[in-house]
Each structure stands twice: as structure tokens, then as C-alpha cells.
Amino acid sequence: MGAGMEDSDLGNDDTDTSGPDVEVRTLADLARVAGVSAGTVSRALAGKSLVNAETRERIQALARQYGFRPNQMASKLRSRRTGVIGVVIPLGHEKRQQISDPFFLTLLGHLADQLTEAGYDLMLSRAIPDGTPDWLERITGSGMVDGVLLIGQSDQSEVIDQVVSHYRPLVAWGNHREGQKHIVVGTDNELGGRLAAEHLIACGARRLAFFGDTGGIEIATRLRGARAAAEAAGLHITHVPIKLADAEMGPQLEAAFAAPDADYDGIVTASDLIAMSALHVLHEMGRKIPGDVQIVGFDDLPLARLTSPPLTTVRQEIGQGAKVMVEKIRALIEGETRISKVMPPTLIVRETTRS
Amino acid sequence: MGAGMEDSDLGNDDTDTSGPDVEVRTLADLARVAGVSAGTVSRALAGKSLVNAETRERIQALARQYGFRPNQMASKLRSRRTGVIGVVIPLGHEKRQQISDPFFLTLLGHLADQLTEAGYDLMLSRAIPDGTPDWLERITGSGMVDGVLLIGQSDQSEVIDQVVSHYRPLVAWGNHREGQKHIVVGTDNELGGRLAAEHLIACGARRLAFFGDTGGIEIATRLRGARAAAEAAGLHITHVPIKLADAEMGPQLEAAFAAPDADYDGIVTASDLIAMSALHVLHEMGRKIPGDVQIVGFDDLPLARLTSPPLTTVRQEIGQGAKVMVEKIRALIEGETRISKVMPPTLIVRETTRS
DNA sequence: GCAGATACTGCAAACGTTTGTACGTCAGCC
DNA sequence: GGCTGACGTACAAACGTTTGCAGTATCTGC
């Protein structure tokens, strides 16, 4: 009608200094207000030196004033860089459809910190591996992330290798295995298992058990290390596959201790969580710790020092691990090639062993 | 140390599936292969009924065969819908630049589950509030998310209200306050604090303390509830502002107990984490629990049942809370209007009180 | 056999940026 | 004074989708 909204006359730069009377949603809008072209606005906001310093600051001030922020989707589409790292937690061998392991959650927290620091956003996905590479490719192939961080490999090492053959920027937390294609940051789980078992043996334990479900390769490797230590000492170690599901853990443990030849005096656990649960069950059974039974955890969660007695455990350098993962993924994105890093765990002796 | 592999050239993997001889990266590419137009391919992959069922399946098969996935950025740009929910954790009143509270982490885990279920992706941001709305608007205004979930309000209630006045789809976890504009899902913290204190009093405690930093509104409200209960019984409750930083908590607590008139016999804590730490410190000091001192936690983390003695605590329905938050944000995105939901907490009596 | 409905499909215009190239101006230099 | 280069800006072509609209067969009923 009469009142056309083609407000293209930019001669009247009179009163619109303070009031965002006209909505500015796009670069073009802001360009009109500033009396320059959209391209210049784009460069100005990106802080490029190509544009006159004075103009740049004027435009930035204008953007602030109008509360303008460039549309990220458009930006990402055009620049073919998302600034987003996908973090995926494979729910692999755990039945429970839920992210619950405090270790992974803690690692996630650290990753969030490191990624933010590095200027990346973090896109979180939980995935349920199904044998095909699809659960992973749904993320790598989405075009939504510049790279992928995998929190744990579960039992999907082959699948991951397969994906990595055509998708480079991927780093996993977990266990390094010879011949594996994908890059891994993790703890030397075999050494960890060994340290735990050796310590127990040195403290006089003879009837050993390993508590943990070996569906994931990390845990399996820990068992291997523990078993090696046991055998070196001429001892047997019983494997008890406790699963990491909050609700079931108590009953599982009770059943384990009720078994006929279950009078263990030294227990290596696959995680602090299991250790804490075991501690609790043993308390209820009236067993003295470390008098009757000694226990070693794995992870050294912040909580490990709060149990009573405080938990002897194998420490994984989780903050450091997150840092390394982020470093590696960044390098990978830059096109560099990288190698895996396995970090040695440390035995933290507290009071659930007789040291 | 690290073992690794330099597997740099990966171009020669042409032995895989049945003949992706021509690379298909875009809709147009696939359209060419299928002998249709790009638009049709788009519709076919979206499963629209507009395209012939047979054609649709042929195209989908082709897409699978060539491993084609539409570029999300382009899709999101065009359709103006991202399918992403931003989850932001304000690091507000905690000095420590790190996501560490297990409660928030657990809530995050549940949110991840619920959002995935609902078909949304989750973009995680940690933010450091700075008094201006900028830390939040950086996310709401980015055009990258369809909605925002806030894990805790910290002390930013006003700022959040301000943002909500022009950005609708936002739901916060936290404390509901009369007159507040933004939608909140959370626990009745005042009631929680009251339940805890009343229970202690009923169990014979007379020298009460509240352990927790009241920088965040949630905690302040819990203290208010506890104080109300104390006053109703004619008792005084001492506020000890313990901060939630892993490393410092021990020393803080020791200092608190070393204070001249610190012979508390009943402690309400602002979180299970503080309670667990206090339990530990008290153990070390040789105090009997619940004989000498009784303690009530807050949250009912899965770990609360594992302490020794098992922790009496005020339970927040965190899984339920996550579910409600996701429901509300979805409704908000659909354009509906919503109201806050405050859920009643439950007192879980275990063994750190004499019941 | 024909009008009109029906069922698909193609065309092309967005979506809002970024960025290579071209253009214009101005200073410095011989 | 013209040439060279530096500097700053405008122009327009992507980026890869989705989707309204128009077009073309095929079908239906009379």
C-alpha cells in the first residue's frame, strides 16, 4: 500500500543513534544502517584487518547497540567450519540406557572446560552401538561437527577403525591396542590392573578377585594385568562380572559374596564406583576393611578420598587426559597427523589396604 | 609411553562397497545418480509422502549405498530449525572454573537421555556470568539452538528474566520465586530445608548448623527453610558458608569444626557432597555419627546410600525433573505457554540421624 | 472423449553468511 | 605527472538445503 517498508533511503542518519527502532537481523540490515556493504560488515565483525580500523569499530559499536549477532548456521555453512566438537558416549555393553558412570561424567566436565577454552562448542550425543558403524557415522557424517571425541570405546574398536578410515578427526578415550587405526588417549589399563593386584599381594592378600564386567576392552585389559600379577605370584584370581548399573550393583555384589568359595581377602575392582558399593556391602556383612578384606578401586574419583576407610585406588589422570584429547583433536583438524597417547596410572595408597 | 601409527594416506580404500565410483556429497549429486531433481531427493529423504513410494525407496537405497547424508548446516539454515537444545551451566558463584558438582552432572546425564529421546541434539556450554546478560545471549542469540535449558540459576535470576523478555524458549532448573518471568523446574527448596531441620530437631539435635554457600538462590532458600524450622522450635541455627570446591572443602570443614562454639549436634548440608565430606572429616576427628553428630544431606545422589553410615538426605527428583524440563522446552518451542513446576522433595531417612 | 481432479516431479527462490576479485582513491617516488 | 603499490570497500558468487508454485502425466467419472 501507501506506506511501503522499503526504507532504503539512508540519507536521514539523524536520530537513530540510541533507539533500535529498526530491527536489524542480518548483515545486510546492519550494513544499511552503517552505510557500507554486507561484506564489509562481515569482515569488520570478524575483526579482520582488511577494513579500516575506524570503520571496524564503528560497525562493532553499531552491532552491539542493535544487539546483532550473525547467524551461526549461515556462517558455518559458508565457511565450512562448525566450531563444534561432537562428544559421544557409547552406551555399548551396559544394558542401562543412561549416562551414569561418574568417571565418564567427570571426563565430560573436563572436556567441556578444555573445549570452551579452545573456542569450541560441545555437542553431546549418547549412542547405542548396534554392530554397524551407523551409530558413529550419524555423527561424523552429519556435517555438524569439526571433529569427534569418543568417551570410551566400549567393544567397538573395529567399528571405530572402520569409520576412521574415511573420517580423520576422531579421538577416543580408552585402551590402546596394537594395530589399531584410531587415535586413543587413555590409561595403561594393563599396568593399572597389575599395580592393583601386586599391591594387594604385597599386603598379604592371597584369595584374589576381580570385580567388573569385561564387556568393554578397558576393563578386560585391567583384568589381564591383574591376572598377570596374580600368576606371577603363583595365585589365582577369580573374575566376578559386576555390571555398572546403580540399582543392580548391590544385589550383584551380595550374590557374589554369597557364593560358596567367595571368601576373598583381596579385591581388585574395575572402578571406584564398584569399590564403593563393595565397601558398603562388606560393611553391612560385618567384614572389617582392610582387616578381613582389602580393596583397591580404579579411577581415583574425587569421592575416593571420602569413603571410610578412604579408598586405595589406581589413579587415572583424567584432567590431563581431557587436555590431551583436545590438543590432539585440534591438531587433527588442522591436518596434522598424530599418535596415540597412553598415560601411566598411579597407585594411590589409602586405607582400604594394609599397605 | 605412547605407541602409535602413522597412517597418513587413506585415499586407497576403493575396495569397500559396491561401487561409489563417483563421489556424492550433495543432494544434487545424488539427484544426478538417481535421475531426478534435487528437490525430489530432499523430499524422498525426508520421507515425505509427496513423492512416489517406489521412487522414495529407490532414492533412500541409493543414499545408503553412497553413504550420503544431507549437510545439516544447510538444512538448518534453510529450515530455520536446528534441532538442537543448548544446555548451559552457569558457573556463577563458584570460584572454581569447572563443572564438577555431581548433582548437575547427573542432571545433565538425564537431560541428555531425555533430549535424545525427543530427537534433539544437545549443545553443552559452560558460562561465566558477568553481570550483563551477555553470557546467556551469546547462546540464545547465536541462532544455533531452538531452545535453552539452564542448569541452575546461580544468582542470575534478574538477568535471566531480562533475556526471557525477548527469548521465549528457555527453561531453568532451580528455585521458583514469586514474580519471576522465566520458567523454572525445581524442588521446593524451602520445604527441603525445613524437612531436614525438623527431622534433626525431632531426633534430638539442639545445636544446629547449616553448611553451604548461599551465593546461589537455591541454597539460600534451603537455609531459609531450615532457619524457619529452627525458629519454630525456639532454636538457633548457625550458617557456615562451605563452598563446593573439591580441594578446599576438607580444610573449610576442618576450620568450621575448629571454631570455638562449633560443637554442633545437628547439621543440615546444602548438598550430599558437603555431607559426605563432613562425614569424612568428623570420622577423622573421632566423632560418632549419629551418636555425637547427626547429618542430613541434600539431593539423594546415588552415592548417598553408599556412605557409612548411609546418608539421611533430602531427595530431589532429578530424573523426573529432567523429563519435565524437556517437556516444557518442547512445548515452549511449539509456541505454547507454560508455567513453572516446583516439585516437593522427600526426606529419605537412613542412618546419619537417630530417626 | 473430455473436463477436471489427482499424483508426482521439476524449477528456482530463498536462508544469511564468507570471501575472491575488481574497483577506486591516495600517497610516494622518480 | 604518471606509474606503482597499498589500502579500503563493493560486488557477486558460492555454501547445500528446503519448499512454494507451476507443470506434466495419469486417472476418474460422465
Side-chain angles (χ1 to χ4, degrees), chain A residues 36-37 40 43 50-52 55 77-78 80:
Chain A
V36 295
S37 79
T40 301
R43 282 186 256 256
L50 281 160
V51 349
N52 186 305
T55 321
L77 171 60
R78 172 58 224 235
R80 323 183 102 249

Side-chain angles (χ1 to χ4, degrees), chain B residues 170-214:
Chain B
L170 186 151
V171 175
W173 173 269
N175 201 84
H176 180 68
R177 188 172 44 75
E178 217 48 57
Q180 166 183 275
K181 299 275 193 312
H182 59 284
I183 289 160
V184 158
V185 174
T187 301
D188 185 338
N189 287 300
E190 176 148 15
L191 175 56
R194 188 142 46 83
L195 287 177
E198 280 172 354
H199 177 63
L200 283 175
I201 295 166
C203 294
R206 290 297 173 266
R207 299 181 305 280
L208 301 174
F210 179 93
F211 281 18
D213 178 33
T214 49

Side-chain angles (χ1 to χ4, degrees), chain B residues 84-254:
Chain B
V84 178
I85 299 291
V87 173
V88 2
I89 306 189
L91 263 9
H93 50 286
E94 297 297 335
K95 291 286 171 301
R96 186 165 153 70
Q97 312 292 22
Q98 189 152 280
I99 304 171
S100 60
D101 186 334
F103 174 77
F104 285 160
L105 248 18
T106 308
L107 179 54
L108 175 61
H110 284 270
L111 286 175
D113 293 338
Q114 294 292 333
L115 286 173
T116 311
E117 199 104 345
Y120 278 102
D121 285 313
L122 188 166
M123 182 123 176
L124 184 64
S125 308
R126 83 211 223 306
I128 302 171
D130 55 356
T132 76
D134 198 70
W135 62 273
L136 226 195
E137 283 180 336
R138 214 186 48 239
I139 295 154
T140 59
S142 70
M144 266 216 304
V145 297
D146 289 342
V148 168
L149 258 24
L150 225 44
I151 299 194
Q153 303 160 289
S154 181
D155 50 1
Q156 304 286 310
S157 190
E158 287 77 17
V159 172
I160 300 170
D161 267 359
Q162 203 172 327
V163 170
V164 163
S165 71
H166 59 265
Y167 185 87
R168 304 294 313 293
L170 186 151
V171 175
W173 173 269
N175 201 84
H176 180 68
R177 188 172 44 75
E178 217 48 57
Q180 166 183 275
K181 299 275 193 312
H182 59 284
I183 289 160
V184 158
V185 174
T187 301
D188 185 338
N189 287 300
E190 176 148 15
L191 175 56
R194 188 142 46 83
L195 287 177
E198 280 172 354
H199 177 63
L200 283 175
I201 295 166
C203 294
R206 290 297 173 266
R207 299 181 305 280
L208 301 174
F210 179 93
F211 281 18
D213 178 33
T214 49
I217 183 174
E218 293 91 347
I219 310 292
T221 311
R222 290 173 200 170
L223 170 56
R224 185 143 43 85
R227 183 161 280 155
E231 283 169 2
L235 295 171
H236 173 71
I237 185 163
T238 310
H239 174 213
V240 184
I242 301 289
K243 289 208 170 47
L244 262 180
D246 284 342
E248 301 165 28
M249 212 146 68
Q252 284 183 68
L253 286 164
E254 280 160 22

Side-chain angles (χ1 to χ4, degrees), chain A residues 192-201 204-214 219 222-231 235-242 252-253 255-259 261-271 274-275 278 282 287 292-298 353:
Chain A
R194 188 141 46 83
L195 286 176
E198 279 172 354
H199 177 63
L200 283 175
I201 294 167
R206 290 296 172 267
R207 298 182 305 281
L208 302 175
F210 179 93
F211 280 18
D213 177 32
T214 49
I219 310 292
R222 289 173 201 171
L223 171 56
R224 184 142 43 84
R227 183 162 281 155
E231 282 170 3
L235 297 172
H236 173 72
I237 185 165
T238 309
H239 174 212
V240 183
I242 302 289
Q252 285 182 68
L253 286 164
F257 286 125
D261 48 354
D263 58 336
Y264 314 116
D265 63 357
I267 302 174
V268 178
T269 60
S271 79
I274 295 178
L282 287 168
R287 307 288 263 284
D292 299 335
V293 187
Q294 302 184 70
I295 296 192
V296 180
F298 209 109
T353 52

